Amino acid sequence: MKQFYLAKRKLQLVPAATFLVALAISIPLSAQTVTTFDAPGVGTGPFQGTYATSISPSGTITGFSRDANNARHGFARSRDGSFTIFDAPGAGTGNFQGTRAYGITPSGTITGFFIDSANAAHGYVRSNQGVITVFDAPGAGTGPFPEGTFVTSPLDINPNGTIAGYYNDSAQVGHGFVRDKNGTFTTFDAPGAGTEAGQGTFSFAISPVGEVTGFYFDATNASHGFLLDKNGVITSYDVPGSGTGVGQGTYGGGFTPNGSIMGNYVDADDVSHGFVMDRRTGTFTTFDAPGAGTGPLQGTYPFGINTAGAISGWYVDASDVSHGFVRDRHGALVEFDVPGAGTGPFQGPNVYGIAPNGAVSGFYFDADYVVHGFVREGHGGASSSLKFRGR
């Protein structure tokens, strides 16, 4: 989804709190295996190809492909390399239309959204038996909306089958939602969220116990993180050093095993940095990949986290090239590149999911901006700790 993708790229309180910057230890790569793959039927033009967005504990990777007509199709790739391609009922087949997949449970249930032939978006959940249920959040607009505006947009699903995401109303204002496994919705707005088009509340991740984090854009279009706890209480947070300009600020991205929050923040120079917030003390640990650039849209972009607290993501260097990283729970950080990735501006890998055993998945742009999926297995010396959108 374009809005989230651009937010995470542009990314994405206590004055006396200790502001720890984790030691980013660059560890030589050894014992790693990178496998690249392309889903059946993908296009070969710029930005066409295979977008891997999540990986399950069993090694099943989900995501979506983009064909020669720029339509999307959901996929599940088993650890043996076999693909299952699927389309939600009602998905369109034209440019920008089709099915996108973002979250997967340990049992193989997948969630995401699809764009129909009228360019309106709808959520879906696909069981591990292949049964697809389509849904719309209460209050969601009926569209069609311009490209890049999504109506009902599920983004994450926990092991219990509870889904978190957001929806846009008829005025294109975002609102958070949670949908339980029985189909019951809870919608919410973070206090302070703006009420103009493009503003509002955007749920991004859900924990095993049903807590939700994400971000909201205020009336000035600055971003703030939020937590919806299991009692329904919403708390906002800002990482010290977050900028206050348009698109700057704090982006909540996921939960650590102990329930703390990780994500990224964008400073006043439009540079992104990673963070982990300890909810017990309210303190923040910030981190940067050693090779991360310091110019606008450059920096460090955490995205996935596993049950051991290892974080996966990517960084953009001073030449605007992307590279992958894995950071263990102690702060040791391994950087890596994917064979075949391009070395031009905004080429290279985008790393999304990380499995309990430390395997990471994502996609990369080659020298022609064609997109390919990959999985990286093994580790670079951080095994003791290794057990978070496309266009």
Side-chain angles (χ1 to χ4, degrees), residues 116 131 226:
D116 65 22
V131 178
F226 76 82

Side-chain angles (χ1 to χ4, degrees), residues 4-369:
F4 264 83
Y5 184 82
L6 292 179
K8 294 296 286 186
R9 293 293 290 190
K10 190 158 173 103
L11 309 163
Q12 45 177 36
L13 96 109
V14 210
T18 305
F19 205 179
L20 300 176
V21 177
L23 293 176
I25 305 171
S26 184
I27 302 176
L29 293 181
S30 60
Q32 70 159 337
T33 301
V34 177
T35 303
T36 63
F37 55 84
D38 294 292
V42 296
T44 57
F47 306 109
Q48 296 173 354
T50 304
Y51 292 82
T53 58
S54 190
I55 185 170
S56 75
S58 67
T60 297
I61 296 170
T62 194
F64 57 92
S65 62
R66 190 171 178 178
D67 66 22
N69 295 320
N70 292 315
R72 280 68 164 178
H73 308 273
F75 73 78
R77 178 188 182 273
S78 299
R79 192 170 184 178
D80 64 9
S82 60
F83 278 86
T84 299
I85 307 297
F86 60 91
D87 294 290
T93 58
N95 179 41
F96 186 66
Q97 298 169 1
T99 303
R100 296 155 169 84
Y102 288 103
I104 185 169
T105 68
S107 65
T109 298
I110 294 170
T111 194
F113 63 88
F114 68 93
I115 309 293
D116 65 22
S117 59
N119 291 323
H122 312 271
Y124 73 86
V125 59
R126 179 184 185 273
S127 75
N128 56 14
Q129 301 299 311
V131 178
I132 296 177
T133 301
V134 173
F135 58 84
D136 292 293
T142 56
F145 290 142
E147 180 177 328
T149 303
F150 298 92
V151 186
T152 298
S153 305
L155 291 176
D156 197 14
I157 184 169
N158 72 9
N160 297 322
T162 302
I163 295 169
Y166 77 95
Y167 69 92
N168 282 319
D169 62 24
S170 58
Q172 300 184 32
V173 179
H175 309 271
F177 76 78
V178 176
R179 178 188 185 272
D180 71 21
K181 64 181 180 180
N182 298 316
T184 301
F185 277 88
T186 301
T187 62
F188 62 92
D189 295 291
T195 57
E196 300 294 329
Q199 298 172 356
T201 303
F202 301 88
S203 304
F204 200 81
I206 186 166
S207 75
V209 298
E211 295 183 316
V212 175
T213 192
F215 51 92
Y216 66 91
F217 291 107
D218 64 21
T220 68
N221 293 308
S223 181
H224 311 268
F226 76 82
L227 168 69
L228 172 70
D229 69 21
K230 58 187 178 182
N231 297 314
V233 177
I234 300 176
T235 305
S236 64
Y237 56 89
D238 293 289
V239 181
S242 296
T244 58
V246 174
Q248 297 171 356
T250 299
Y251 294 80
F255 292 94
T256 69
N258 66 2
S260 290
I261 296 171
M262 74 89 182
N264 70 297
Y265 70 97
V266 178
D267 65 23
D269 296 317
D270 291 320
V271 182
S272 179
H273 313 269
F275 77 86
V276 177
M277 181 182 75
D278 186 333
R279 289 170 56 188
R280 296 167 299 181
T281 62
T283 58
F284 292 88
T285 297
T286 65
F287 62 92
D288 293 288
T294 57
L297 301 184
Q298 296 172 358
T300 303
Y301 294 86
F303 208 94
I305 189 165
N306 70 5
T307 52
I311 295 171
S312 60
W314 70 91
Y315 68 91
V316 179
D317 67 20
S319 299
D320 293 323
V321 182
S322 296
H323 310 269
F325 75 82
V326 177
R327 177 187 184 270
D328 76 15
R329 65 184 179 188
H330 303 297
L333 193 146
V334 178
E335 301 176 342
F336 66 91
D337 287 298
V338 176
T343 57
F346 300 108
Q347 294 175 351
N350 287 196
V351 185
Y352 277 48
I354 180 167
N357 67 355
V360 299
S361 65
F363 55 87
Y364 68 93
F365 297 87
D366 67 20
D368 298 314
Y369 290 95

